[in-house]
Amino acid sequence: MADSNFIDYVKILCRSGKGGAGSRHYHRAKYVPKGGPDGGDGGRGGHIILRGNRNLWTLLHLRYQRHIFATDGESGGAGRSFGKDGEDRIIEVPVGTAVFDAETGQFLAEITEDGQEIKLLKGGKGGLGNCHFATPTNRAPRYAQPGQPAIEKSIVLELKLLGDVGLVGFPNAGKSTLLSSISAAKPKIADYPFTTMEPSLGIVSYRDGKSFVMADIPGIIEGASEGKGLGLRFLRHIERNAVLLFMIPADSADIRKDYAVLLKELKEFNPELMDKGRVLAVTKCDMLDEELTEALRAELPEGIPTVFISAVTGQGINELKDILWHEINSDAAKTQVAITHRALDVHHRVPEEDNFVFEQEDPDDDSMLLTDEDWNDEFWAEESSVNPD
């Protein structure tokens, strides 16, 4: 995966800008005695904002941009002049991107529409100038508020492709062959396991100008939840699919057992996948005659629509499209597209993306991680020391 342009997992460090300090200036003019305080407010720090962009299909543009920092707000000036606000940093991501806290694995937000914006980290508020603290008994306050500190957080961005049908099966089950035969997608096809090393999307034409999107992911094997093969890394791309199409070749030793293994691995990844609609396709049926086909029907799992297909000869393809279209438009499928994102754990992380150094020295910012309560406590402690009355 090191040379692939399809990047669906990135870990970055973000920091919003800190607020500018308020000014402690006093108005001074030749003919204005006791002009009083006129210190302006500091500007707010820049925000970190996520924005959906339908023209992006991968997180490649963020792979080598591991530190994203907004600028700080400027301090207030004389004559009640406001400080300049810090510049926001906008991170554009593909539609379908989920955001997680890199330290705890907690789900934070997701981008599901083009142009959707989420304020991920808020910039610090600017401090108030001393003109705000003048009172009848304290007409010349010698203090002003400092700006709020910045917020720093390491996050993980996960891209989850948006599709209607997700293909699930063992390596060499015929998933890529099916996708290439019924859509314009050109996935890699070969006669060895793990030919598909990254997900592919294809638009499948249906009757009367209708269509649906099919997502192909690398094959999974028994023990994938423990890290075998390619593990469960790519199963995130079928979490949003309305229907799961299980593909098992006709030459399988036990179709019912293989189906149970695939279900077990999906449940290990996210139990909510069990609630999605399921269809079973027995592939490579061009090698079967009618007698063998009837014998296989007795070995099929119960309670799931099944169709015998051959992507090479076209056998059963139209019947498969009809079944998938019916499942996609069922009421149950429409309610299952929305998912509850599970927290990241050791099985859902990508070690080669996680293991890099975040730390970057910033000698000018020694209060970066203060909370709002700490900031207010610090200010009022400073005020009471300057003005004990």
Side-chain angles (χ1 to χ4, degrees):
M1 294 301 294
D3 297 330
S4 173
N5 286 333
F6 183 83
I7 304 299
D8 58 356
Y9 182 105
V10 171
K11 182 178 179 182
I12 61 178
L13 179 68
C14 297
R15 182 195 301 164
S16 62
K18 60 182 178 182
S23 174
R24 293 182 289 181
H25 190 269
Y26 296 90
H27 180 64
R28 306 198 184 279
K30 185 175 181 180
Y31 300 107
V32 184
K34 299 180 181 179
D38 69 344
D41 301 341
R44 69 158 176 83
H47 303 311
I48 299 294
I49 299 174
L50 257 64
R51 178 190 293 166
N53 187 339
R54 64 182 179 182
N55 296 319
L56 297 175
W57 67 283
T58 177
L59 298 173
L60 178 64
H61 62 293
L62 297 174
R63 183 171 189 179
Y64 301 107
Q65 190 179 1
R66 298 305 181 89
H67 299 87
I68 298 179
F69 300 153
T71 60
D72 299 333
E74 296 183 0
S75 300
R80 302 197 179 190
S81 299
F82 291 94
K84 182 180 178 182
D85 291 342
E87 294 183 5
D88 299 336
R89 288 299 306 273
I90 297 178
I91 307 174
E92 294 198 344
V93 295
V95 176
T97 300
V99 188
F100 299 86
D101 188 316
E103 302 300 328
T104 64
Q106 178 185 4
F107 169 74
L108 300 177
E110 63 178 332
I111 299 292
T112 57
E113 298 177 1
D114 179 47
Q116 177 186 358
E117 291 189 355
I118 294 176
K119 192 179 294 181
L120 189 61
L121 299 179
K122 294 181 63 175
K125 294 180 180 179
L128 299 177
N130 62 347
C131 63
H132 291 276
F133 302 104
T135 65
T137 59
N138 183 22
R139 297 184 179 183
R142 298 186 178 183
Y143 48 83
Q145 276 187 329
Q148 277 190 332
I151 301 175
E152 183 177 284
K153 184 183 291 292
S154 56
I155 62 171
V156 167
L157 300 177
E158 265 195 357
L159 174 60
K160 302 183 180 184
L161 297 179
L162 301 177
D164 299 307
V165 179
L167 302 183
V168 181
F170 293 106
N172 280 18
K175 302 186 297 300
S176 298
T177 303
L178 174 66
L179 184 64
S180 64
S181 65
I182 63 177
S183 74
K186 301 298 180 184
K188 183 178 180 180
I189 300 174
D191 58 352
Y192 55 85
F194 298 110
T195 306
T196 301
M197 296 295 290
E198 60 188 44
S200 300
L201 285 179
I203 299 178
V204 181
S205 299
Y206 192 57
R207 298 178 179 145
D208 301 325
K210 300 175 184 177
S211 63
F212 56 89
V213 179
M214 181 175 287
D216 176 28
I217 65 170
I220 59 177
I221 63 176
E222 185 173 6
S225 58
E226 302 172 0
K228 295 182 180 179
L230 293 178
L232 299 179
R233 169 179 172 182
F234 294 103
L235 284 181
R236 69 172 73 99
H237 297 293
I238 63 172
E239 283 186 307
R240 297 184 189 276
N241 299 157
V243 179
L244 301 180
L245 176 59
F246 289 78
M247 301 186 64
I248 300 177
D251 56 358
S252 169
D254 191 334
I255 294 179
R256 190 172 300 180
K257 179 182 176 181
D258 288 348
Y259 175 71
V261 170
L262 292 173
L263 273 183
K264 175 179 177 296
E265 297 301 330
L266 293 185
K267 186 175 181 180
E268 290 288 337
F269 179 78
N270 189 345
E272 287 193 14
L273 293 176
M274 298 294 97
D275 299 328
K276 292 186 179 293
R278 300 195 290 266
V279 176
L280 174 61
V282 180
T283 64
K284 305 179 182 180
C285 290
D286 52 298
M287 65 179 69
L288 302 178
D289 55 22
E290 293 184 3
E291 182 177 353
L292 290 175
T293 301
E294 291 301 321
L296 281 179
R297 291 186 187 277
E299 302 178 4
L300 298 177
E302 300 176 356
I304 177 174
T306 304
V307 58
F308 290 81
I309 68 170
S310 171
V312 177
T313 64
Q315 173 188 345
I317 296 299
N318 290 332
E319 180 185 355
L320 176 63
K321 289 183 179 181
D322 291 337
I323 295 176
L324 291 176
W325 184 259
H326 178 267
E327 291 292 333
I328 291 170
N329 292 279
S330 65
D331 294 336
K334 293 178 180 178
T335 60
Q336 291 301 325
V337 176
I339 61 172
T340 302
H341 296 272
R342 75 287 177 275
L344 292 178
D345 58 28
V346 65
H347 297 307
H348 302 127
R349 288 184 176 273
V350 181
E352 61 269 23
E353 291 288 337
D354 271 352
N355 297 333
F356 72 94
V357 178
F358 270 136
E359 292 74 10
Q360 177 166 321
E361 295 182 1
D362 188 357
D364 298 330
D365 188 2
D366 57 356
S367 60
M368 183 189 310
L369 300 179
L370 288 179
T371 64
D372 288 353
E373 294 181 359
D374 295 336
W375 176 72
N376 289 328
D377 292 344
E378 179 184 274
F379 164 67
W380 291 117
E382 178 182 345
E383 178 193 348
S384 61
S385 65
V386 175
N387 184 24
D389 295 332

